[in-house]
Amino acid sequence: MSKSLPNPRGRLFCFVLYPEENQEHERVLTLLKQNYVVLGINHNRDVWHKYDDNFEEGEHYEGEPKKAHHHVIVKFENSRYLQALAKELSCEYNLIRKIGSFRSMAIYLTHRDYPRKARYNVDEFYGLLIGDLMKCLGDDDLDNQLIEVITYLEGINRYMSYSEFIKWCTCNGYRQLLSKHSFQIDRVFNECQGKYHAQQLESKIHRGK
């Protein structure tokens, strides 16, 4: 390989492979599954859309099935050079790219945040990093729930006891959130109730004038 080629170093890399069409890709995929710590998915339900970056009118049409392909995230304990990894697997370096965030890439591969794309479930993934994927998705769900609860508290314009708030959380499926983010939620609850009491006090002062 030419020394002029990009040779990034990192602990996380992602492969894009077409094993159904290319025997070399099939060989690399087998090696990754057998010898590396990976998270992989076969994207076999993707279709072309006009908003896709590499969509070419005449070459593709809206809704046309894309070729099935595997995305495989590889994680190392210590940093590696991309070209060294390619040499180790005897594959082309352009099959690999360095990634900065496991969480972002793993969630992206589910297509959860892309309603026009085919959705992929956890049970369709393979590899030793499935547990890490599940943790990312669980944490992300809790982050969204935290935003929902904060928005609810900010919208309350009345006195609410803490016990009433706990009952509301329990009835609406936020028990796990309360357990994990109790400090943040308590602080927001007190801030919102403090603002309400301040508004009530200000209103009484104005009425007394």
Side-chain angles (χ1 to χ4, degrees):
M1 292 185 182
S2 171
K3 292 183 180 179
S4 64
L5 294 174
N7 192 20
R9 184 182 183 188
R11 296 175 56 245
L12 293 166
F13 296 90
C14 190
F15 289 71
V16 179
L17 303 167
Y18 293 79
E20 295 180 9
E21 299 190 344
N22 188 304
Q23 289 185 346
E24 275 301 293
H25 287 209
E26 183 179 7
R27 179 187 63 81
V28 172
L29 179 61
T30 299
L31 288 174
L32 290 173
K33 286 182 174 180
Q34 292 177 346
N35 302 307
Y36 294 83
V37 177
V38 306
L39 175 72
I41 179 70
N42 180 10
H43 274 191
N44 55 6
R45 299 196 306 278
D46 290 358
V47 298
W48 285 102
H49 294 290
K50 292 182 178 180
Y51 59 80
D52 289 341
D53 291 338
N54 49 353
F55 182 89
E56 295 183 16
E57 200 72 47
E59 293 291 327
H60 309 290
Y61 61 86
E62 183 75 15
E64 174 190 0
K66 291 184 177 182
K67 295 177 182 179
H69 55 283
H70 289 244
H71 295 270
V72 185
I73 301 173
V74 184
K75 183 178 181 180
F76 295 100
E77 288 296 324
N78 301 305
S79 292
R80 301 283 302 275
Y81 282 105
L82 186 151
Q83 288 188 27
L85 177 59
K87 184 177 181 180
E88 184 173 295
L89 290 164
S90 300
C91 71
E92 295 297 323
Y93 76 96
N94 58 7
L95 296 180
I96 318 167
R97 69 182 178 95
K98 175 182 173 293
I99 59 174
S101 169
F102 174 84
R103 175 191 177 92
S104 296
M105 178 57 71
I107 291 177
Y108 167 74
L109 293 180
T110 68
H111 287 171
R112 185 198 63 182
D113 298 327
Y114 297 84
R116 294 184 180 182
K117 292 179 178 286
R119 179 75 175 268
Y120 293 93
N121 300 316
V122 172
D123 59 8
E124 296 180 85
F125 285 79
Y126 55 82
L128 296 174
L129 296 173
I130 290 180
D132 294 57
L133 168 65
M134 294 177 68
K135 184 178 186 304
C136 289
L137 293 172
D139 288 347
D140 206 50
D141 286 342
L142 287 181
D143 289 343
N144 291 330
Q145 288 183 21
L146 182 59
I147 293 173
E148 292 170 2
V149 170
I150 290 174
T151 301
Y152 170 75
L153 288 172
E154 290 176 340
I156 293 176
N157 190 27
R158 65 177 180 83
Y159 168 75
M160 172 182 270
S161 68
Y162 194 70
S163 61
E164 181 186 352
F165 171 63
I166 294 296
K167 289 178 183 177
W168 179 86
C169 288
T170 302
C171 292
N172 289 277
Y174 296 115
R175 290 184 63 183
Q176 185 180 0
L177 178 72
L178 281 175
S179 175
K180 187 165 185 178
H181 294 289
S182 59
F183 176 77
Q184 295 95 322
I185 293 173
D186 288 353
R187 187 171 64 182
V188 174
F189 176 84
N190 291 328
E191 286 178 356
C192 291
Q193 286 296 294
K195 287 179 182 178
Y196 169 75
H197 290 306
Q199 290 171 357
Q200 293 297 106
L201 180 60
E202 185 177 356
S203 178
K204 287 182 180 179
I205 292 173
H206 282 301
R207 286 199 300 268
K209 289 183 179 179

